[in-house]
């Protein structure tokens, strides 16, 4: 079949000189069409105007670029496939040894007298103490005017020179087909360069100083299109007809008055926002963020009360059975006048339909979104720890009503830049105030040399009648990672360290009834020390537990460590978090320091995002996280906010054009 070769969506394999084999390699890097190739930008540049003289090279410095003539070549074949090619390169100031690893074919290409550009990292040669250059990139010096060369990400089998030539040819032939969809008004307002010259500059800059302006244009485009989609989605939800609840002020006041404490100012503010949402005709679509212990469950109870008083059902979906059981116990107590039911994977299947029919409030896990689960009249869906659920799972619960109000909740504060990228279609509320009287948990770093002291500290607390969590990152021992395993360590702690106390064990692979039995034993005080994996990370409330010890703390993200720390400090006694770690890397030390310095989950979330990046912020790759061509959520937060503003203006000025632009871009994204 003959393919049209003059479109941006043409498969890249139909470009001259590519073919199926190279197309497969390009596909491994996400390049499938000609347009993908044009938008496959360099990771860095080699500026040949910035040559370093050989006599000024310092071992241990960053990557340097040198230019010189080959004086000598020596090819050594080491064990197996490993090979080393050594080249002595000289300029008018001196000479340096350059090494090429595992490129034996270069012995036939290079010869004495050739002039080269070499870039690499200068290091000390352990054999003779001299400086040698570990070569990353090389090219012939043909004596022309110095260039600025793009350095692209590569996969095995592709080389820089080939990719540069391929992209240069594609730009020459296809760049004219790229359509600049931003109006001159937007470009002028936000100081944006034209799209085509920006793409060319990013690939082959004439002046390195022009790269930043070109990058700004492409980053803006990434964010602008994505925010356009989020805002259009938000607009469409606002146009839907939902439930206009009557707000039962008397019932709410009676409920709040019966609580053993007063609502915080933040809780009162968020409740007012939710009341406004639920009384409106449009469906509520709100994200509630609150630090550990800030009182999100009471807000969920109040929202549920509004729905139930109007004759509707409320559903609260949580990620684990342990948390579902705990929510059920708590809400059954404070909402004793209503029929509160529990629905999890352990619930008997024959009882599911009956349970849903008669319940006012249903608390459950993923079981809530199974096909055979039918709600009688769902008016409110609360999704707790919402980032633990995928996009489709969250949508399934929303589809159980027609349509219900939705309240997303998380105890993992999400930095504003990430929230804007992920949840720009939601309204946002922050519980940024802790209940009065709650003492901050004292955090200490425990290196291996202090382990014995840490155990004695735990023993003292248990002897005084309090309890201890000890968390491990693995259930069973792993040959690949030198990490202490929960099952092995629980036995060791019981046998060798704390024989006088009862040590319990809980992890995600246990059956539900086994987990319930262990948690009941811990809650009743029959178990003094509970060894666990991160299954207890969210929502567990044991006021008598005053120590959280985290083994291999360097392996956890900051938000996860903060969640674990939040499992203690829930009673009146002073509580402690012991970070038991051998923090050898700079990043591990930075995480430990942040935990020692900050108790504020919102601040820790900002630090965590900068340390680990958005892709790993939640410990696993976040469902729905956008993959941008150029933009970086952390680095480009200011541009993200500007693009959001531009998208809002565009929608106000010409909604039809904005929607057409987004639909066109979405079609491209979905077909790629």
């Amino acid at each position: 079949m003959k393919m049209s070769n003059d479109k941006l969506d043409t498969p890249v394999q139909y470009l001259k000189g590519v073919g199926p084999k190279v197309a497969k390699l390009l596909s491994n890097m996400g390049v499938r069409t000609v347009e993908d190739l044009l938008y496959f930008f360099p990771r860095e540049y080699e500026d040949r105007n910035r040559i370093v003289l050989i006599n000024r090279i310092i071992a241990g410095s960053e990557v340097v670029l040198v230019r010189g003539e080959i004086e000598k070549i020596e090819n050594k074949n080491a064990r197996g496939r490993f090979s080393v090619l050594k080249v002595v390169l000289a300029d008018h100031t001196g000479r340096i040894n350059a090494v090429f690893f595992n490129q034996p074919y270069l012995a036939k290409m290079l010869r004495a007298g050739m002039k080269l550009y070499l870039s690499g990292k200068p290091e000390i040669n352990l054999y003779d103490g001299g400086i040698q250059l570990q070569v990353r990139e090389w090219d012939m010096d043909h004596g022309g005017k110095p260039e600025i060369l793009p350095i692209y990400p590569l996969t095995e089998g592709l080389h820089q020179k080939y990719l540069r030539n391929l992209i240069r040819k594609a730009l020459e032939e296809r760049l004219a087909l790229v359509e600049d969809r931003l109006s001159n008004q937007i470009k002028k307002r936000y100081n944006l360069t034209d799209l085509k010259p920006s793409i060319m500059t990013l690939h082959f800059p004439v002046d390195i100083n022009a790269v930043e302006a070109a990058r700004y244009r492409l980053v803006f485009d990434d964010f602008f299109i994505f925010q356009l989609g989020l805002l259009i989605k938000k607009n469409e939800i606002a146009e839907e007809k939902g439930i206009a609840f009557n707000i039962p002020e008397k019932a709410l006041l009676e409920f709040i008055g019966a609580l053993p404490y007063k609502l915080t100012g933040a809780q009162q503010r968020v409740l007012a926002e939710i009341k406004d949402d639920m009384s409106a005709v449009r469906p509520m679509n709100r994200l509630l963020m609150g630090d550990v212990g800030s009182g999100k469950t009471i807000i969920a109870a109040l929202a549920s009360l509004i729905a139930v008083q109007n004759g509707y059902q409320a559903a609260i979906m949580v990620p684990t059975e342990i948390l579902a059981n705990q929510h059920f116990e708590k809400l059954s107590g404070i909402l004793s006048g209503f029929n509160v039911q529990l629905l999890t994977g352990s619930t008997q299947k024959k009882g599911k339909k009956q349970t849903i029919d008669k319940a006012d409030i249903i608390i459950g896990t993923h079981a809530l979104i199974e096909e055979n689960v039918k709600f009688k009249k769902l008016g409110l869906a609360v999704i707790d720890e919402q980032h633990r659920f995928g996009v489709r799972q969250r949508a399934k619960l929303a589809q159980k009503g027609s349509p219900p109000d939705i309240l997303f909740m998380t105890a993992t504060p999400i930095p504003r830049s990430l929230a804007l990228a992920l949840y720009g279609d939601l309204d946002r509320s922050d519980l940024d105030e802790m209940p009065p009287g709650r003492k901050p948990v004292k955090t200490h770093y425990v290196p291996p040399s202090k382990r014995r002291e840490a155990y004695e500290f735990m023993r003292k607390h248990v002897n005084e009648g309090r309890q201890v969590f000890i968390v491990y990152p693995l259930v069973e021992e792993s040959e690949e990672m030198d990490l202490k395993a929960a099952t092995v360590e629980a036995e060791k702690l019981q046998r060798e360290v704390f024989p006088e106390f009862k040590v319990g064990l809980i992890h995600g692979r246990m059956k539900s009834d086994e987990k319930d039995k262990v948690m009941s034993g811990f809650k009743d005080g029959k178990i003094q020390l509970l060894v666990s994996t991160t299954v207890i990370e969210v929502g567990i409330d044991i006021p008598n537990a005053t120590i959280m010890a985290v083994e291999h703390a360097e392996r956890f993200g900051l938000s996860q460590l903060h969640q674990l720390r939040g499992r203690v400090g829930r009673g009146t006694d002073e509580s402690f978090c012991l970070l038991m770690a051998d923090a050898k890397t700079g990043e591990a030390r930075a995480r430990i320091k942040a935990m020692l310095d900050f108790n504020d989950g919102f601040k820790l979330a900002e630090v965590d995002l900068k340390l680990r990046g958005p892709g790993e912020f939640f410990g696993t790759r976040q469902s729905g996280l956008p993959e941008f061509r150029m933009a970086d959520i952390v680095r480009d937060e200011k541009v993200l906010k500007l693009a959001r503003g531009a998208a809002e203006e565009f929608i106000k000025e010409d909604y039809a054009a904005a929607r057409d632009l987004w639909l066109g871009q979405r079609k491209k994204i979905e077909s790629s």
Side-chain angles (χ1 to χ4, degrees), residues 2-14:
K2 188 174 180 181
M3 291 291 301
S4 173
N5 226 17
D6 58 354
K7 295 182 179 179
L8 290 175
D9 61 357
T10 300
V12 74
Q13 82 173 70
Y14 294 103

Side-chain angles (χ1 to χ4, degrees), residues 211-497:
V211 169
E212 197 54 40
R215 183 182 182 278
Y216 169 62
R217 169 61 206 262
L218 271 296
V219 168
F220 191 96
D221 278 21
D222 272 349
F223 286 146
F224 178 78
I225 293 297
F226 191 74
Q227 290 301 315
L228 210 56
L230 290 176
L231 289 166
I232 287 169
K233 181 182 174 184
K234 185 174 183 177
N235 191 74
E236 289 173 347
I237 291 171
E239 290 178 353
E240 287 182 350
K241 187 174 181 181
I243 306 162
F245 293 98
N246 292 314
I247 304 303
E249 296 290 358
K250 184 180 177 182
L252 290 174
L253 287 172
E254 287 176 356
F255 176 88
I256 293 168
L259 294 172
Y261 48 80
K262 291 184 177 181
L263 295 184
T264 64
Q267 285 175 314
Q268 293 176 37
R269 184 187 69 242
V270 169
L271 176 59
E273 292 168 347
I274 288 173
K275 285 161 64 176
D276 286 345
D277 280 351
M278 294 187 74
S279 62
V281 174
R282 61 174 176 78
M284 176 169 70
N285 204 34
R286 184 168 291 276
L287 174 65
L288 172 58
M289 293 192 208
D291 208 344
V292 178
S294 60
K296 294 179 297 301
T297 306
I298 292 301
I299 296 296
L302 287 162
S304 299
L305 184 61
I306 294 171
V308 172
Q309 287 281 359
N310 279 266
Y312 287 86
Q313 293 174 300
I316 301 175
M317 186 166 73
V318 299
T320 67
E321 289 199 9
I322 289 177
L323 186 53
N325 282 318
Q326 185 167 289
H327 273 344
F328 174 67
E329 288 181 19
K330 186 170 185 177
L331 292 178
S332 295
I334 62 178
L335 294 168
S336 55
F338 300 96
N339 188 330
V340 182
Q341 295 289 345
L342 179 68
L343 184 62
T344 68
S346 303
T347 307
Q348 291 295 321
K349 289 188 177 180
K350 63 182 180 182
K352 284 184 180 177
K353 184 77 164 62
Q354 183 182 0
T355 300
I356 294 300
D357 281 347
K358 66 184 181 181
D360 295 317
I361 299 168
I362 306 97
I363 299 161
T365 57
H366 300 75
L368 290 175
I369 59 176
E370 290 180 6
E371 286 187 20
N372 62 336
V373 174
K374 308 290 182 185
F375 289 87
K376 183 174 64 176
K377 197 177 182 183
L378 182 63
L380 171 70
V382 179
I383 302 174
D384 196 10
E385 290 306 313
Q386 58 83 33
H387 65 270
R388 297 288 196 91
F389 299 98
V391 175
R392 289 186 179 88
Q393 290 173 319
R394 298 194 293 257
K396 275 187 178 180
L397 184 58
Q399 290 162 7
K400 297 282 185 176
S402 57
D405 281 8
I406 303 177
L407 179 64
F408 301 94
M409 302 200 307
T410 180
T412 301
I414 303 167
R416 292 197 174 273
S417 59
L418 189 55
L420 199 58
L422 281 172
Y423 308 118
D425 55 328
L426 306 179
D427 296 309
R428 169 173 170 161
S429 293
D430 288 345
L431 279 177
D432 49 8
E433 181 182 351
M434 298 299 286
R438 180 156 182 176
K439 299 176 183 177
V441 177
K442 291 186 176 180
T443 306
H444 299 281
Y445 170 49
V446 182
S449 61
K450 299 286 186 180
R451 177 176 295 278
R452 187 177 296 277
E453 292 177 35
Y455 286 152
E456 288 306 312
F457 186 69
M458 296 178 204
R459 177 172 281 107
K460 177 177 179 292
H461 273 247
V462 176
N463 279 326
E464 291 172 354
R466 294 185 285 275
Q467 292 165 284
V468 176
F469 287 106
I470 305 176
V471 174
Y472 292 86
L474 295 177
V475 177
E476 297 166 349
E477 284 188 307
S478 167
E479 294 180 3
E480 296 178 5
M481 291 193 291
D482 180 25
L483 300 180
K484 294 179 183 295
T487 50
V488 174
E489 291 302 311
E491 294 176 8
K492 184 179 177 183
L493 288 168
Q494 180 69 87
R495 185 178 63 252
E496 300 176 14
V497 184

Side-chain angles (χ1 to χ4, degrees), residues 499-517:
E500 72 271 38
F501 303 130
K502 175 63 176 174
V503 178
L505 171 67
I506 190 169
H507 57 74
R509 295 185 193 172
M510 294 167 67
K511 293 180 180 177
S512 295
D513 56 346
E514 294 174 331
K515 286 188 280 191
D516 291 343
K517 185 177 179 181

Side-chain angles (χ1 to χ4, degrees), residues 61-66 118-122 133-137:
S61 61
E62 294 301 312
V63 173
V64 298
L65 177 68
V66 298
L118 299 181
S119 67
K121 199 166 177 63
L133 193 70
Q134 287 198 20
V135 179
R136 287 177 28 163
E137 304 290 340

Side-chain angles (χ1 to χ4, degrees), residues 23-34:
K24 179 72 168 61
L25 296 177
L26 290 168
S27 178
N28 293 340
M29 302 189 297
V31 177
R32 297 175 183 85
T33 67
V34 172

